[in-house]
Amino acid sequence: MATLCGQDGIGIASFRNPESVIDPATADAEFATVLAAARRSVHSFAIGSIQETILASDKTVIVLQGVGTEFLLGVVLDAKVGTLGLARVKVHRVAEEFAKILAG
């Protein structure tokens, strides 16, 4: 599953495999909450700006990437994904493309 949403958790667009049990609207809200918490943590430690957030469970890996200053891209992958590094690069590239489009 992949979703593009605002920092407020309101979805813009999503893609979901028919087998997915994750509701995109719920994911949007939760992803925005997670990214906001990560940003607060980074800010409180004064260690720069957040680039991405990765959540890993026994079943999934979630990559959250900011898109400009107002949006985020969330991608849910199977935990058995071949190369997490390659997935991160691809998510980053897609986020950059979305940022260009949304900037007008």
Side-chain angles (χ1 to χ4, degrees):
M1 186 195 91
T3 186
L4 177 67
C5 67
Q7 297 288 337
D8 57 3
I10 296 176
I12 295 170
S14 65
F15 169 80
R16 183 174 96 164
N17 287 334
E19 303 87 31
S20 178
V21 296
I22 299 173
D23 173 55
T26 302
D28 291 337
E30 294 295 344
F31 293 167
T33 299
V34 167
L35 195 57
R39 282 192 170 125
R40 279 192 306 276
S41 295
V42 167
H43 179 74
S44 69
F45 294 133
I47 56 175
S49 62
I50 195 162
Q51 299 299 310
E52 71 181 351
T53 302
I54 298 173
L55 303 169
S57 74
D58 58 334
K59 296 181 181 180
T60 62
V61 174
I62 301 170
V63 179
L64 302 176
Q65 176 78 48
V67 177
T69 58
E70 299 180 35
F71 305 96
L72 71 94
L73 175 62
V75 179
V76 180
L77 306 165
D78 188 292
K80 297 175 182 124
V81 66
T83 307
L84 178 57
L86 180 59
R88 290 177 59 215
V89 168
K90 288 186 176 188
V91 169
H92 181 74
R93 286 183 186 157
V94 170
E96 286 178 337
E97 289 299 315
F98 277 137
K100 289 177 191 173
I101 291 167
L102 292 168

